[in-house]
Amino acid sequence: MSTSSTQSRGLNRRINSLQNNGRSSSSASAMRQRLVSWNDAYLAALSVAYLHYLLQPRPRRLQHVAALPPIQRTSSSMHDLMKDFAIVKDSKSTRFPHGFMSELEKSLTGVLMGKDRRPEYQDPVVKRTFAVFYTAFTEQSFRKRMEQDRRVEDLVLIFFSSATKELQKGQAPNDDKWKLMVDRHVALFVRLVSATLKDHDWVRDRPELTSRLATLEQKLLKHDQDLSADSQRAGGAGGTSIEVEVPRSYDVKDMPLVLVVGRVFGLSPAQMQTDINKNRPVWSEKAALQDLKTYQNLLNLNSRRTLGSDDFDLEEAYEAWRQAEGPDLSRMMLAIMKSNPQLAQGAPGSSAQRSQPGTNGVSMASPGATRSSTPWKVSDLDGQSSYALDQPADVRGLQFDGSGSEVSDDGEHPFIFIPPDPRAYYRFVLMQAVSHDLQDSAVQHESGQETPRVTFLAKPSTELLNEIVLRWRIPTFSRLVLFLDVIREKFVEQEIDLDTLDAAFDYVKEPPPEPRRSSVAPSETTPFGNRSRWTMADFTLNRQILSALHDALLRDLYDMIMHCYEPKPPSIGPVMLVLENHVTNDPLFAKNPEEDRQFSEQLADGLHQRAKDVYADFLAKEIPHSQDEWQFYHVIQLGKAVMKLAERIQKRYRKNAEIMGVNPLIILLETVLPSYGADTRDIVQRIVQVAKSREEDVDIQDGFELYRELSEIRRIHTDALPRIPFAFHVEGLLADFVWRWVRMTDEKIVEWVEQAVKQDHFQVRTEGSDEPPTDEERHSVSVIDVFRSFNQAIDQVSQLNWDDDLQYAQFMTALSKSIGAGLMRYCELIEQKFSKEMDRLSPEQMVAASQSRQERWVQLARDAWNNREKIEPFQFFPESFVKLNNIEWATEQLDRLEKSINVDGCADVIQKHAAASGQRPRRTNTYVFTIKIVEAEDLKACDINGLSDPYVVLGDEYQKRLAKTRIIYANLNPRWDESVDITTQGPLNIIATVWDWDSLGDHDCVGRTSIKLDPSHFSDYLPREYWLDLDTQGRLLLRVSMEGERDDIQFHFGKAFRTLKRTERDMTRTITDKLSAYIHHCLSRSALRSLLNKGITMSSVSSLFRGQRPTPAPAGPTQVEITNALTPLFQYFDDNFAIMKQTLTDAAMVMVMTRLWKEVLSTIEGLLVPPLSDKPSAQRPLSQQELDIVFQWLQLLFNFFYAIDEETGQSDGVPMDVLKSPKYHEIQSLNFFYFEATENLIRTSERMASATAARQQQQRNRLSAPSMLGGGHSFGGAASLLGMPSTRRSKSIMLSRNLGTMRKAKEEKRKEAQADPNDDMILRILRMRPDAVAYLRDRSRQKERLAAAAAAELIVRQSLASGGGRLMANVPRR
């Protein structure tokens, strides 16, 4: 054993307490065991083996005798021969078993068919007799009766009757020779029955039936010893052959069990021959018979030389054992007398007779009694023994050589064959036999011979031990306990392995099936399991065995567990199986919780030390000795080694995590993880210090890999050791690597974007198939590459599963800012390329550019004189649409990225941390102003056609261009609705210049104005509208809002989303602007006039001037003419939509069509009413006929954009909710007010204005944050110069942080427009009424006063909100 095993020998010495508390008989038994010598045990075993030889039947041989005169039968009746079967009635042992009839039929068939090769069955006369019986045997009624009764005598009598009838045929009446042949044939039949029983192993269950059949066969052959024919005897000379006994030889070689004793004790036959010759006079049958009689008398006297009632714990157990001894003693005596009949001559009661229960002496087997002697293994024996009898008998009256029935307990040992201490002697012999057979089995196994897995005793040894326990009267349970004691000694001395010990327990608990040699009913439980019948000595010895084995198994278990951290440790399963199944679960095992606890503590201490040693080995193997050579790789490898060991231990003990109350995995983690954490902290700090001293950086990926390993180890540490904190804060130690990754991403992200755009050809990604590309293929590779870079940057951090929520939120905030910058650069590059493609010159413009200046003026004059307007469809590039698809796809991908990052969750974490730590929000030093260039009115005409082509340029005071709008052609009241973001850290002067675009020469300045963006003026973060007068003529409307630049993840994503949506909207507007010129041409007043003047001719005008009566005015245009008037526009749309459909995605296509629909509504709105202003308009109202045509056009256009499929009935165009926008409903409302009287319109306007003012007042009173303060639309004046708060909702960055919030804000805006109607349309109608000039002027002043009041109220509210605490400080408390 190992050293640790030797040190643990003192653990749990349970055997001492068991010996001290044991019964007195145990100490006496132990003393007797120590007195047994090798020679005494040898002679005792030799005497039993020699007696077994004496009691064996002597062999016989055939001897020829001359023919004698015929001998007449003494018994002429077969019933006289069957008396033995009639002695025992209704005994199961004399009935043939179930299934016997079928097997006997097969045997009879074998005789008749000649398959039975025995010579006695080859005689034709025998076959003829058997054939006659076979006919009666197969008769159904006879067969059924025999299977019910199963009596052998009936079967023999039927055969006798059949043989008699067959053999007496043809015989003379006075000839009786045939009767001897009948007896011989019946004997052959009886021999066939016996052979059938033996062949199917039914002999062991029916010994009495077998004995009676043998007796019957001998009686039938009394007058005829040879079963062959007379003519074959003595070479044909006649006569007879008889069997004579062979003289007994006293040579050791003829004694099988004596040879077994020699092998077991290691003696030669010559030595044993000397001992037998020396003791022959004493070791006789008579001495054996005398021993049995003496033992029987001592048993009746309850002597101490036999087991007594004091040796049993229960009186019932003693009585059961005592009643079982009687039948065995009787059989053994009769066996001796049968072997030597002279011993019974002259003794009363010598004749075998049936014993009667209830007589004096030892009673025979009674119900419930158990058999006292059972052989170890007799499956291979022939069922014969040295005490087999024909029938039970009573020998209570036998007397031998005047030996009295009274035997004293004192004096010399009264037995010849029974030793003084049978248990001790038997244990000694058993030890010798087991040692010999186990060694012999091991030698055979090493030589390659096929042997059973575990062989305790060879068959010869088993026969010897069976004979010994029979003669020494050792109970079965005692033999099993002594066997376990021998196995215990062998195991403690390490002479047998654990498998042999396990097999030994299984052997004694479930011994193999054995033949029953008595008529006593078998016990329902095994002798080892029915411990209520045990002696107290067996109880004590069995308890000592369990205690000793428990100590030995614990020592082995301790040694094995000490190797559990090794790669291939020994399996503890077999030890635990034996310990639990055979020791601790045994009812006789005395459990001691205190000793179990001590063992668990020592086991835990040993495992702790082993875990320390294992970790020290890992440390020495993975970490270099020189600190300058340390790298993160070494720490990672050390962690992987620890985790690999932990996983191996967890897998190894997954079914039974705890062993004797100790968990090897928990002990390993408790010991190793804290040490690993402390060492890792020191090593990482040292690595970082060395890198800084060398002015180097540890690789970022090494830091990430180290964090993954440490986070996994920390997770296991937390699960296994929840009460022990990890050695250090991993995130705090390694956060710098993530920040370095964030900074590197921020530095390279713009470069990534530029490279992606540079390498992109903006083509639809088709694979050469004829099918049209799907929406997923309509964007180019640049946006894919850009977002792949974004996702990789995010995944690099998110896949770390960073366990510090605050730091993770800060990482995502920084990365979102970088992503926003990358998207802004991408949108800028895309928009530049898009604008360059869309602003290219048309073929006519290119021709005009090649003309001289004089040619250009002449051409313009000619076109102006002819009033010619050339409207040509714009030829779009597919690349331009791919760019729009990229922006649309980028918006979707950014929304997915926002959800994957969980932007709202990150923002909440940062906000909660700031609130918990009491940190005040940092004051914003950077502001984002959003300037929306809405519209202009009454601009100066710069072109010769009396119009201008205006666009607006925003610049700062240093003449740096900040933004530029698109060009609105031929319009003095343009509307741009374009927004731009300007970031500033202080006040900034913005100069807005309106230019007139000219294709020839320089662009003309229409006018200029300025505005100061001061953050202090927008401290309420409310949007404001400014009507700025130009320095020449007209004015410009700007809507300005401000937001504080915040280092907030929601702010960064909102800014990125707004950049994408603005780019998308500007690109869409650029596309629609290319179509808007033709829309304005087809939906203009000139188109109306052309449609209405189709019936007017020059002759009708001439007749009017001649004073002739004019012809009646033609009727208005028909529905077909009205529809045909828009046919060119619809065709124009279809042509351009066909080009778009080839490249744009479905979502982008709907977006373009939606924008075109808004342009249509704006055009029709301008056709009906002038823009909103406080000045009267020169635009004339339409006639009723013209108004009807315009609304018919609106309906036609509505149907066109809705695009109902005639087959499916589904819409393929713009959704219904988009078509029926608030602007659409406002235009529809013009039908109610367009031809209303001015007075009615003014009253309606005043009523609606009062209702609007009341609602706004309620909102001011209800809202704590006055985000909706202010009047309605401002017409200008002093209030507009101050920039009063607007009721319009500002599209803030926070409301644009994802697609969900943008959709929600858009839906709320729609609901507000529907719930808060205004009188803007009425005011626009009144602009065309000259008698409403005064009302418009008064209404403008009223709105200015309301706006001023709202501004004043807002200032007061802000003052109260900022300094309310100071104002209320002096207010006394109640």
Side-chain angles (χ1 to χ4, degrees):
M1 286 190 176
S2 63
T3 306
S4 60
S5 175
T6 305
Q7 295 175 353
S8 62
R9 289 181 182 272
L11 295 175
N12 303 326
R13 287 297 184 184
R14 196 184 304 273
I15 189 172
N16 295 330
S17 61
L18 290 175
Q19 289 177 344
N20 295 334
N21 299 330
R23 306 177 190 273
S24 59
S25 61
S26 63
S27 60
S29 176
M31 183 63 68
R32 288 195 297 272
Q33 291 178 13
R34 287 194 294 271
L35 295 178
V36 176
S37 65
W38 182 91
N39 189 64
D40 293 343
Y42 157 68
L43 291 176
L46 184 64
S47 65
V48 173
Y50 175 69
L51 177 60
H52 177 268
Y53 172 73
L54 293 178
L55 298 181
Q56 290 298 315
R58 296 181 184 180
R60 294 175 178 269
R61 65 185 178 186
L62 292 177
Q63 182 175 349
H64 182 72
V65 179
L68 297 176
I71 302 176
Q72 300 296 325
R73 290 184 56 179
T74 58
S75 177
S76 59
S77 175
M78 178 58 65
H79 293 282
D80 296 338
L81 300 177
M82 300 298 295
K83 288 181 179 180
D84 291 341
F85 290 92
I87 295 177
V88 180
K89 295 182 179 180
D90 297 332
S91 175
K92 293 182 180 179
S93 61
T94 59
R95 296 176 183 270
F96 54 77
H98 293 284
F100 173 76
M101 296 295 290
S102 299
E103 299 300 329
L104 180 60
E105 183 179 357
K106 295 179 182 178
S107 301
L108 290 172
T109 304
V111 172
L112 297 177
M113 300 297 294
K115 296 180 180 179
D116 195 329
R117 298 302 180 183
R118 287 175 289 186
E120 58 266 28
Y121 293 104
Q122 302 299 322
D123 188 359
V125 180
V126 173
K127 292 183 178 180
R128 189 174 75 245
T129 305
F130 272 66
V132 174
F133 170 74
Y134 184 81
T135 303
F137 179 80
T138 56
E139 200 270 327
Q140 293 294 332
S141 60
F142 172 76
R143 185 73 173 267
K144 183 176 181 181
R145 178 168 55 85
M146 291 303 300
E147 289 181 352
Q148 291 178 352
D149 298 339
R150 295 187 291 119
R151 294 194 303 178
V152 178
E153 55 267 31
D154 296 342
L155 198 62
V156 174
L157 290 175
I158 292 299
F159 185 88
F160 173 78
S161 176
S162 300
T164 301
K165 293 179 181 179
E166 181 63 26
L167 293 177
Q168 71 180 358
K169 292 180 180 179
Q171 301 294 333
N174 55 354
D175 188 4
D176 293 338
K177 293 181 179 180
W178 62 272
K179 295 183 179 180
L180 295 177
M181 189 174 292
V182 170
D183 293 346
R184 186 163 56 248
H185 286 196
V186 174
L188 286 175
F189 177 72
V190 172
R191 181 175 295 182
L192 185 65
V193 172
S194 299
T196 303
L197 292 173
K198 184 177 180 180
D199 292 342
H200 293 83
D201 202 19
W202 286 323
V203 176
R204 67 173 64 186
D205 295 332
R206 285 165 171 76
E208 294 184 7
L209 176 61
T210 305
S211 176
R212 282 162 175 72
L213 289 173
T215 303
L216 177 61
E217 182 182 348
Q218 293 177 2
K219 290 179 179 181
L220 290 170
L221 297 177
K222 181 177 181 180
H223 303 293
D224 189 357
Q225 304 297 332
D226 193 351
L227 291 178
S228 56
D230 293 342
S231 61
Q232 300 298 325
R233 298 175 184 168
T240 184
S241 297
I242 62 174
E243 290 183 351
V244 297
E245 291 184 353
V246 178
R248 178 175 289 165
S249 170
Y250 291 95
D251 190 354
V252 172
K253 296 181 180 180
D254 297 332
M255 304 176 185
L257 290 189
V258 173
L259 296 177
V260 174
V261 173
R263 288 195 298 269
V264 169
F265 284 88
L267 297 176
S268 64
Q271 292 174 317
M272 293 187 296
Q273 187 70 56
T274 302
D275 293 334
I276 289 177
N277 294 337
K278 179 181 177 180
N279 293 284
R280 271 181 63 184
V282 180
W283 295 349
S284 62
E285 296 100 322
K286 183 178 179 180
L289 189 61
Q290 183 62 39
D291 279 357
L292 293 177
K293 188 61 179 177
T294 302
Y295 179 84
Q296 188 179 42
N297 292 334
L298 291 175
L299 184 63
N300 293 334
L301 295 174
N302 197 15
S303 171
R304 289 194 303 272
R305 294 185 182 275
T306 63
L307 292 178
S309 60
D310 294 339
D311 293 315
F312 289 87
D313 193 19
L314 299 175
E315 187 66 26
E316 294 81 358
Y318 169 69
E319 290 297 332
W321 171 80
R322 186 170 178 272
Q323 291 177 4
E325 283 290 278
D328 277 354
L329 293 175
S330 299
R331 293 188 185 87
M332 294 170 65
M333 292 178 189
L334 289 177
I336 294 174
M337 290 187 293
K338 181 180 179 181
S339 175
N340 190 355
Q342 297 178 358
L343 296 177
Q345 291 179 359
S350 61
S351 61
Q353 57 181 331
R354 185 181 178 89
S355 62
Q356 301 296 330
T359 58
N360 297 332
V362 180
S363 63
M364 297 302 294
S366 61
T370 57
R371 178 166 55 92
S372 65
S373 59
T374 303
W376 284 99
K377 187 176 182 181
V378 295
S379 59
D380 298 328
L381 301 181
D382 56 2
Q384 298 180 359
S385 66
S386 59
Y387 60 93
L389 295 175
D390 293 340
Q391 56 185 338
D394 189 6
V395 294
R396 289 171 297 179
L398 290 178
Q399 300 291 334
F400 304 101
D401 296 338
S403 59
S405 61
E406 294 184 359
V407 180
S408 173
D409 289 344
D410 301 329
E412 297 181 356
H413 183 63
F415 303 110
I416 299 299
F417 292 96
I418 301 177
D421 187 357
R423 289 171 57 90
Y425 276 75
Y426 175 75
R427 186 188 183 282
F428 193 96
V429 177
L430 179 62
M431 175 66 77
Q432 293 295 119
V434 170
S435 300
H436 174 269
D437 291 344
L438 286 177
Q439 183 178 3
D440 187 61
S441 176
V443 171
Q444 293 180 6
H445 182 71
E446 291 178 359
S447 63
Q449 300 182 13
E450 294 183 0
T451 58
R453 185 176 63 89
V454 177
T455 302
F456 301 104
L457 295 170
K459 181 178 179 180
S461 301
T462 302
E463 294 176 352
L464 174 63
L465 292 173
N466 285 341
E467 195 66 25
I468 288 175
V469 297
L470 181 68
R471 298 298 168 186
W472 295 355
R473 309 312 302 154
I474 298 176
T476 302
F477 46 79
S478 297
R479 285 179 285 167
L480 297 177
V481 174
L482 291 173
F483 175 75
L484 277 185
D485 190 37
V486 170
I487 295 297
R488 184 268 313 162
E489 182 176 343
K490 292 287 184 183
F491 181 75
V492 172
E493 297 300 329
Q494 298 186 358
E495 297 181 13
I496 61 175
D497 57 9
L498 191 66
D499 292 337
T500 306
L501 177 63
D502 183 34
F505 271 105
D506 293 337
Y507 184 81
V508 299
K509 291 180 179 180
E510 297 181 3
E514 304 163 350
R516 293 194 292 269
R517 294 185 175 179
S518 68
S519 59
V520 180
S523 174
E524 294 181 358
T525 59
T526 62
F528 192 82
N530 189 10
R531 299 182 182 183
S532 62
R533 305 294 179 90
W534 285 18
T535 63
M536 291 186 291
D538 291 322
F539 272 109
T540 303
L541 180 59
N542 189 58
R543 183 168 292 181
Q544 293 171 357
I545 293 171
L546 294 177
S547 179
L549 288 176
H550 183 260
D551 293 343
L553 289 172
L554 286 185
R555 288 194 295 270
D556 292 347
L557 181 64
Y558 184 89
D559 291 340
M560 292 180 178
I561 296 180
M562 289 302 105
H563 298 280
C564 69
Y565 298 140
E566 297 178 359
K568 295 182 178 180
S571 175
I572 65 172
V575 177
M576 296 298 299
L577 182 67
V578 174
L579 192 63
E580 294 178 3
N581 291 353
H582 302 313
V583 179
T584 57
N585 291 340
D586 196 297
L588 292 182
F589 178 73
K591 298 181 180 180
N592 191 331
E594 180 62 24
E595 293 184 0
D596 292 342
R597 185 188 61 79
Q598 293 177 2
F599 175 78
S600 299
E601 291 178 355
Q602 295 188 13
L603 182 61
D605 294 340
L607 285 177
H608 276 294
Q609 184 60 41
R610 285 295 303 146
K612 293 179 182 178
D613 297 341
V614 170
Y615 177 71
D617 294 340
F618 287 160
L619 204 62
K621 179 181 178 181
E622 303 296 344
I623 305 300
H625 295 287
S626 176
Q627 296 184 3
D628 294 338
E629 298 178 1
W630 287 353
Q631 296 180 7
F632 283 1
Y633 172 78
H634 301 132
V635 182
I636 294 172
Q637 291 302 114
L638 178 61
K640 288 183 176 180
V642 172
M643 289 298 97
K644 185 177 180 181
L645 176 60
E647 291 174 358
R648 188 166 64 241
I649 297 300
Q650 184 181 21
K651 183 179 180 180
R652 185 176 298 159
Y653 302 107
R654 62 182 181 274
K655 293 183 178 179
N656 297 312
E658 288 193 358
I659 305 170
M660 302 298 293
V662 177
N663 191 322
L665 177 61
I666 297 299
I667 290 179
L668 174 68
L669 298 179
E670 288 178 348
T671 306
V672 174
L673 290 186
S675 301
Y676 173 78
D679 293 340
T680 299
R681 177 193 57 208
D682 299 338
I683 293 174
V684 170
Q685 291 177 350
R686 177 60 183 171
I687 293 174
V688 175
Q689 291 176 0
V690 171
K692 288 183 178 179
S693 64
R694 297 175 180 175
E695 295 183 354
E696 298 176 352
D697 289 330
V698 182
D699 188 71
I700 294 177
Q701 294 301 325
D702 290 345
F704 288 171
E705 187 65 25
L706 177 61
Y707 177 79
R708 293 188 185 96
E709 187 67 28
L710 290 179
S711 61
E712 179 64 18
I713 294 176
R714 182 179 57 187
R715 182 190 65 79
I716 297 176
H717 180 280
T718 304
D719 295 340
L721 312 173
R723 299 182 180 180
I724 302 177
F726 198 65
F728 64 99
H729 187 227
V730 180
E731 286 73 21
L733 187 64
L734 300 178
D736 183 62
F737 290 91
V738 184
W739 284 119
R740 285 172 53 195
W741 171 261
V742 172
R743 290 192 294 270
M744 184 193 70
T745 302
D746 184 67
E747 293 172 358
K748 294 184 177 182
I749 199 165
V750 174
E751 181 182 354
W752 296 343
V753 170
E754 292 175 349
Q755 290 296 326
V757 174
K758 183 178 180 181
Q759 298 175 6
D760 193 3
H761 298 289
F762 298 98
Q763 300 291 331
V764 175
R765 296 176 296 109
T766 56
E767 298 181 357
S769 60
D770 296 334
E771 297 182 0
T774 62
D775 283 358
E776 293 298 325
E777 299 174 341
R778 292 177 184 262
H779 49 271
S780 62
V781 296
S782 63
V783 69
I784 298 176
D785 294 340
V786 167
F787 271 91
R788 183 182 293 117
S789 302
F790 294 166
N791 287 317
Q792 288 176 354
I794 293 294
D795 293 343
Q796 192 68 254
V797 179
S798 61
Q799 290 176 359
L800 292 175
N801 295 322
W802 201 260
D803 200 31
D804 190 312
D805 293 341
L806 178 61
Q807 289 183 347
Y808 177 80
Q810 293 171 346
F811 297 153
M812 293 296 107
T813 300
L815 286 174
S816 65
K817 183 177 181 180
S818 302
I819 290 173
L823 282 176
M824 187 175 295
R825 179 57 179 164
Y826 183 77
C827 292
E828 181 181 355
L829 294 174
I830 292 297
E831 199 165 10
Q832 288 176 0
K833 291 179 175 291
F834 183 81
S835 299
K836 185 177 180 181
E837 294 167 355
M838 300 299 291
D839 292 343
R840 71 184 186 279
L841 296 177
S842 63
E844 292 79 4
Q845 293 173 338
M846 294 177 64
V847 172
S850 62
Q851 295 176 348
S852 63
R853 185 179 182 87
Q854 184 177 2
E855 291 174 345
R856 294 176 189 173
W857 282 108
V858 171
Q859 184 66 34
L860 287 176
R862 185 182 297 111
D863 293 340
W865 177 260
N866 296 329
N867 195 17
R868 175 181 147 187
E869 298 180 10
K870 293 184 178 180
I871 306 298
E872 298 291 340
F874 189 81
Q875 299 298 322
F876 296 99
F877 287 161
E879 292 84 354
S880 302
F881 293 146
V882 170
K883 294 180 179 63
L884 180 59
N885 292 338
N886 286 356
I887 299 299
E888 184 261 334
W889 192 79
T891 305
E892 295 179 357
Q893 294 303 310
L894 185 63
D895 189 64
R896 294 180 183 178
L897 189 62
E898 188 265 349
K899 294 177 181 177
S900 65
I901 294 177
N902 190 11
V903 170
D904 294 338
C906 293
D908 291 341
V909 169
I910 295 177
Q911 184 178 2
K912 291 178 181 178
H913 175 76
S917 60
Q919 297 180 358
R920 294 183 178 180
R922 291 186 302 173
R923 186 174 180 180
T924 303
N925 297 324
T926 303
Y927 303 92
V928 179
F929 282 93
T930 301
I931 302 178
K932 184 174 184 178
I933 305 172
V934 183
E935 60 180 339
E937 66 176 24
D938 197 18
L939 295 180
K940 181 180 68 174
C942 298
D943 295 337
I944 59 176
N945 59 358
L947 299 174
S948 295
D949 303 322
Y951 65 93
V952 180
V953 175
L954 296 183
D956 59 7
E957 55 191 356
Y958 303 104
Q959 298 183 355
K960 177 183 178 181
R961 176 181 286 191
L962 301 177
K964 173 181 173 295
T965 68
R966 70 187 189 283
I967 303 170
I968 304 296
Y969 295 97
N971 201 326
L972 298 179
N973 298 295
R975 188 177 184 88
W976 292 278
D977 285 329
E978 295 187 24
S979 301
V980 62
D981 289 339
I982 298 176
T983 302
T984 180
Q985 295 181 350
L988 179 66
N989 290 323
I990 299 297
I991 299 174
T993 305
V994 182
W995 294 90
D996 171 59
W997 179 85
D998 287 327
S999 61
L1000 301 176
D1002 296 333
H1003 300 181
D1004 300 326
C1005 179
V1006 178
R1008 183 179 286 107
T1009 186
S1010 64
I1011 184 174
K1012 183 178 182 180
L1013 302 180
D1014 191 347
S1016 61
H1017 296 165
F1018 293 84
S1019 59
D1020 56 355
Y1021 299 102
L1022 295 178
R1024 287 171 169 78
E1025 291 183 350
Y1026 295 91
W1027 275 104
L1028 302 177
D1029 293 331
L1030 300 179
D1031 56 358
T1032 56
Q1033 175 184 337
R1035 55 183 181 173
L1036 180 67
L1037 177 60
L1038 300 180
R1039 184 176 296 122
V1040 182
S1041 63
M1042 186 193 74
E1043 291 184 79
E1045 182 80 23
R1046 296 189 293 174
D1047 189 15
D1048 182 89
I1049 188 171
Q1050 292 178 330
F1051 182 86
H1052 296 317
F1053 265 91
K1055 197 172 181 180
F1057 270 110
R1058 192 161 72 171
T1059 300
L1060 287 172
K1061 295 304 290 184
R1062 281 183 179 176
T1063 304
E1064 183 182 70
R1065 183 174 60 250
D1066 293 343
M1067 293 172 68
T1068 305
R1069 181 177 289 162
T1070 302
I1071 293 174
T1072 56
D1073 284 348
K1074 299 302 179 181
L1075 309 179
S1076 61
Y1078 197 67
I1079 294 174
H1080 296 160
H1081 170 73
C1082 295
L1083 300 178
S1084 62
R1085 294 199 172 219
S1086 59
L1088 273 176
R1089 288 194 297 268
S1090 299
L1091 181 61
L1092 294 174
N1093 293 336
K1094 283 186 178 182
I1096 301 177
T1097 61
M1098 291 302 297
S1099 59
S1100 62
V1101 176
S1102 301
S1103 62
L1104 179 62
F1105 282 102
R1106 294 191 190 102
Q1108 298 177 2
R1109 185 177 180 180
T1111 58
T1118 63
Q1119 183 64 40
V1120 175
E1121 293 175 342
I1122 295 174
T1123 303
N1124 291 337
L1126 295 184
T1127 299
L1129 179 61
F1130 292 155
Q1131 186 63 43
Y1132 183 73
F1133 283 158
D1134 288 337
D1135 294 341
N1136 286 280
F1137 287 169
I1139 299 174
M1140 297 177 187
K1141 192 65 177 177
Q1142 294 176 359
T1143 309
L1144 287 178
T1145 63
D1146 292 341
M1149 189 67 191
V1150 172
M1151 184 169 54
V1152 171
M1153 293 177 67
T1154 301
R1155 182 61 201 173
L1156 279 174
W1157 172 248
K1158 292 181 179 179
E1159 188 68 27
V1160 167
L1161 292 180
S1162 178
T1163 303
I1164 290 180
E1165 182 185 35
L1167 190 62
L1168 295 173
V1169 292
L1172 185 63
S1173 177
D1174 58 342
K1175 299 179 180 179
S1177 174
Q1179 180 176 338
R1180 70 171 183 84
L1182 299 179
S1183 64
Q1184 182 66 53
Q1185 190 177 27
E1186 292 173 334
L1187 186 66
D1188 293 340
I1189 294 174
V1190 170
F1191 277 101
Q1192 290 184 44
W1193 283 352
L1194 179 61
Q1195 186 61 41
L1196 291 173
L1197 290 166
F1198 183 92
N1199 296 334
F1200 176 82
F1201 279 93
Y1202 193 50
I1204 288 291
D1205 191 342
E1206 296 180 357
E1207 295 181 358
T1208 62
Q1210 297 180 354
S1211 173
D1212 296 331
V1214 181
M1216 179 66 73
D1217 58 339
V1218 176
L1219 291 175
K1220 292 186 176 182
S1221 61
K1223 178 66 68 176
Y1224 175 80
H1225 289 293
E1226 288 180 356
I1227 295 175
Q1228 290 288 350
S1229 66
L1230 287 175
N1231 264 326
F1232 300 98
F1233 305 110
Y1234 203 79
F1235 297 106
E1236 189 74 20
T1238 303
E1239 295 79 3
N1240 295 336
L1241 290 177
I1242 292 175
R1243 284 195 297 269
T1244 303
S1245 174
E1246 290 176 347
R1247 186 170 59 254
M1248 296 177 70
S1250 301
T1252 301
R1255 283 194 300 271
Q1256 293 177 355
Q1257 184 62 38
Q1258 291 177 0
Q1259 291 177 359
R1260 288 195 297 268
N1261 295 334
R1262 184 175 66 252
L1263 297 178
S1264 58
S1267 59
M1268 300 298 294
L1269 294 179
H1273 187 92
S1274 177
F1275 291 104
S1280 65
L1281 293 177
L1282 294 176
M1284 290 298 101
S1286 172
T1287 58
R1288 296 180 180 269
R1289 179 181 293 272
S1290 173
K1291 295 182 180 178
S1292 64
I1293 293 177
M1294 297 303 292
L1295 292 178
S1296 304
R1297 61 181 180 270
N1298 56 46
L1299 293 180
T1301 57
M1302 287 190 288
R1303 281 192 288 264
K1304 184 178 179 180
K1306 190 174 182 180
E1307 185 63 25
E1308 290 181 357
K1309 180 180 178 182
R1310 179 188 299 274
K1311 291 180 179 179
E1312 289 179 3
Q1314 294 175 355
D1316 189 15
N1318 54 57
D1319 59 341
D1320 288 350
M1321 279 297 177
I1322 297 178
L1323 295 176
R1324 295 172 72 174
I1325 295 173
L1326 290 176
R1327 285 194 64 192
M1328 296 185 294
R1329 307 286 179 89
D1331 51 349
V1333 174
Y1335 175 75
L1336 291 175
R1337 184 172 55 253
D1338 295 340
R1339 180 65 185 276
S1340 175
R1341 294 173 181 173
Q1342 178 187 7
K1343 289 193 174 185
E1344 291 177 4
R1345 289 194 301 270
L1346 291 175
E1353 184 178 359
L1354 176 61
I1355 294 174
V1356 173
R1357 286 179 178 272
Q1358 292 177 349
S1359 176
L1360 291 175
S1362 59
R1366 295 189 299 270
L1367 294 175
M1368 299 298 292
N1370 297 326
V1371 177
R1373 298 185 179 182
R1374 300 182 61 181

